[in-house]
Structure formats: C-alpha cells, structure tokens
Amino acid sequence: AKGMGRNNYQTYVAVPEESHQQRIALETKLRVAERNNELRVYYQPQVDSRTEDIVGMEALIRWEHPELGMISPGFFIPLAEETGLIVSIGEWVLRTACVDTKRWQTRFGLPLRVSVNLSALQLRQPNLADIVRSAVDDSGIDPTLLDLEVTESISVKSIPNLLETLQSLRDLGCRISIDDFGTGQSSLDYIRRFPADKIKIDQVFVRNIGVDPDDEAIVQATISMAHSLKLGVVAEGVEIEEHYTFLRDHGCEELQGYLFCRPLAPVSFENMLAERERL
Ligand code: C2E
Ligand code: CA
Ligand code: CA
Ligand code: CA
C-alpha cells in the first residue's frame, strides 16, 4: 500500500424514491452527458497479494456533471441499463479502457491487464464478440490482457446463448471473471459450466473478515473451490491490513481496494505508475 496517492471526490447521492418525471429528466441528462463527453473512465489498481505489484486495474465509469460534480455509477448505471443507454456507454468504456491500457503498457513496459464490466444488456448483443474484437484490434492491446467482468447474478436463463457468448469472447483470447461472487444464487454446477477464468470475491464478504467467522469461512471456501476448479481469485473491497493478510494467507492471488488505492482519473493513474517506477 505504498506510493499510490489518494484521490477523494464528492459523490452525488441519489434520492431513493425518484418521481417518474425526475427519472425522465435524468435520462435526458445522461444522453446529453454522453454527447458532451461528461463521462470518464477511472482506474483502480489490482495488486499481486505477495509482491504488492500492480498487475492490472478495473475500469470504472464516472459522470462528471458540470453542476452536480462527480456522479457515481451506482446512481446512473441502473438507469442506463433500463433505457438501453448502457450498450453505447459500455462500448465506449471498453474502447477507452483498451486505448488507455495500451498506452500505459507501452510507456511503462508492463504487461498491465485491464478489467471491464459488461452489463446484461451487452451480453444480449448477438455481435458482442465483434465489438470486443474491434476494440482489441483498434487499440492494439493483447486480448489476453483484457478481462471482462460478468456479474454472478446474471442468469443463463434470462440471456439467450450466454455461455456461447462468453465462450466466443474467450476464443478471442479475452479472460472472463465472475464478478460479485457469492451474492447471486448460482449452484456449484452452474459455476462449473460457466466459461470463466477467475472469480471475484464480493466486498460484502471481505468487509466481514475479522468480524464474522461465517463470512471468513465463505471466503476461505470460495478460494479453495476456485483453485480446485482451476480458476484464479481476486478480492474486492480490501480496506484494511487485516483483510489483506487474511486473503493473502489463504491464497487469494490478487487484491483490489481502498487499502491500496481508490479509483483514479487516467492522469492520476499514469502519474502513480510513473511515481512507482522511480521508487
Ligand atoms: P463493481 O463492479 O463491484 O465495482 C467495485 C466497486 O467497489 C466500485 O464502485 C469501486 O469504486 C468500489 N470499491 C473499490 N474499492 C473499494 C473498497 O475498498 N471499499 C469499498 N467500500 N468500495 C470499494 P463504483 O466505481 O462506484 O462502481 C459501482 C458499480 O457500478 C460497479 O460495481 C459496477 O457494477 C458498476 N459499474 C461501474 N463502471 C461500470 C461500467 O463501465 N459498466 C457497467 N456495466 N457497470 C459499471
Ligand atoms: Ca466489477
Ligand atoms: Ca464487483
Ligand atoms: Ca460489488
């Protein structure tokens, strides 16, 4: 947790009960935001649990509203999903993340990997693999360094050909991670059939390390199950030293969380890499 500067920003907090009118207004603003380049991609490092080296980063979208300031994705992603805007926004995040990553790989000579979130609606696109291939080709990124995060709660039943779509992404060379692992209702059989390379332990379990022995048992069991299935494991929401040592000592390979670094604007992320290079 050294040399990775902090970056604090204000988050606009949504009122839970919005009126229909407020939602329409927000939808209009989100369309304008996309057109006016108010969307940003931030990056949060993922570190090797043994060496603390940065091995990759997760691309996380932000909305920099001219009046409201930085708006968190928890607020507008659900709306973007409902309205279908997530399809074009998601493709833009993917393309931006590939281009930024390629630039940093070149500048720092590191095999940095980038993780990009895919929403359910994107996974329904019959041409998703073509979109991903085009983002890979246009940026020149090595597809094996592109990791696509799919949340566990997405069900095979609700998305036609989900397993085939994921396999077609892997055929391009991309990696698939199961995000928010443990929060959905997947059976072990489902996990076994899911064409994935890695499991991402959700922060609801990580948070309770040192607090709740049951959650500690779940984390431990998840890591050993993942390894038995030849899957990698990364933990998110690593906030304190105790989370870090527990996860490392139980064999979790990669860690992501505020203990190491908050999500950073591209220029701050690049400065942080430059700073570490000098150390
Ligand atoms: P997620 O994919 O589970 O991403 C992890 C979230 O945890 C991020 O919230 C990240 O900033 C936050 N986080 C990181 N470290 C810590 C920590 O130590 N403690 C705590 N409490 N939180 C931590 P963020 O950036 O607000 O994103 C929220 C969610 O929005 C993401 O959850 C993801 O589901 C969605 N999202 C973000 N960007 C995109 C995107 O480009 N496309 C899609 N489809 N969804 C996105
Ligand atoms: Ca994610
Ligand atoms: Ca997650
Ligand atoms: Ca999560």
Side-chain angles (χ1 to χ4, degrees):
K2 301 149 208 127
M4 280 193 245
R6 296 220 150 213
N7 153 280
N8 298 306
Y9 62 90
Q10 294 297 310
T11 302
Y12 178 62
V13 182
V15 234
E17 296 292 316
E18 302 153 68
S19 71
H20 182 60
Q21 241 168 350
Q22 279 174 310
R23 280 178 33 86
I24 306 243
L26 181 69
E27 181 183 342
T28 308
K29 287 206 189 79
L30 187 53
R31 286 185 195 279
V32 172
E34 200 184 0
R35 206 166 343 109
N36 289 358
N37 303 316
E38 291 169 17
L39 301 180
R40 309 273 173 264
V41 182
Y42 274 47
Y43 296 93
Q44 184 177 37
Q46 297 171 335
V47 307
D48 181 304
S49 65
R50 283 149 309 167
T51 62
E52 281 191 48
D53 287 340
I54 297 179
V55 289
M57 56 275 169
E58 180 174 9
L60 294 160
I61 195 170
R62 302 285 178 264
W63 176 3
E64 197 175 335
H65 191 282
E67 281 113 45
L68 298 173
M70 219 43 113
I71 303 180
S72 95
F75 180 58
F76 66 90
I77 288 287
L79 181 81
E81 275 166 356
E82 278 173 53
T83 55
L85 283 168
I86 193 66
V87 170
S88 57
I89 292 175
E91 180 174 347
W92 174 80
V93 170
L94 172 71
R95 289 188 165 275
T96 305
C98 289
V99 169
D100 285 344
T101 301
K102 179 67 189 184
R103 191 176 67 248
W104 295 328
Q105 287 169 346
T106 307
R107 173 168 173 197
F108 298 102
L110 295 171
L112 286 173
R113 188 197 58 226
V114 67
S115 301
V116 176
N117 293 285
L118 289 183
S119 90
L121 222 52
Q122 290 175 281
L123 290 162
R124 284 172 186 274
Q125 289 180 281
N127 62 340
L128 180 63
D130 295 329
I131 290 170
V132 172
R133 185 191 297 114
S134 143
V136 165
D137 289 349
D138 291 351
S139 61
I141 195 180
D142 174 350
T144 63
L145 296 174
L146 174 58
D147 178 28
L148 300 165
E149 295 194 356
V150 176
T151 185
E152 191 219 304
S153 60
I154 280 176
S155 90
V156 175
K157 284 179 218 101
S158 69
I159 300 182
N161 309 318
L162 175 63
L163 299 183
E164 291 80 359
T165 299
L166 293 176
Q167 190 52 51
S168 70
L169 297 172
R170 293 176 94 200
D171 291 343
L172 294 176
C174 300
R175 306 290 192 233
I176 303 291
S177 291
I178 309 180
D179 202 356
D180 305 324
F181 189 80
T183 63
Q185 256 103 79
S186 314
S187 65
L188 293 176
D189 177 58
Y190 176 82
I191 299 304
R192 192 174 57 79
R193 290 187 302 122
F194 208 87
D197 302 279
K198 194 160 62 177
I199 278 177
K200 201 162 180 184
I201 303 178
D202 195 76
Q203 56 196 46
V204 299
F205 303 108
V206 173
R207 189 184 298 146
N208 283 336
I209 290 172
V211 178
D212 184 342
D214 291 343
D215 282 333
E216 287 183 356
I218 290 174
V219 168
Q220 245 179 289
T222 302
I223 296 168
S224 66
M225 179 203 67
H227 289 161
S228 309
L229 295 173
K230 308 258 184 312
L231 299 169
V233 195
V234 51
E236 68 180 6
V238 179
E239 291 186 350
I240 57 175
E241 213 67 33
E242 197 173 358
H243 301 161
Y244 169 30
T245 49
F246 182 94
L247 288 158
R248 182 197 56 203
D249 295 347
H250 288 88
C252 180
E253 298 97 60
E254 291 178 13
L255 309 171
Q256 178 182 345
Y258 296 162
L259 176 67
F260 305 99
C261 194
R262 293 191 171 252
L264 299 174
V267 60
S268 308
F269 191 86
E270 186 160 341
N271 289 340
M272 183 267 296
L273 289 177
E275 182 62 35
R276 283 169 74 91
E277 194 180 41
R278 272 195 294 275
L279 293 179

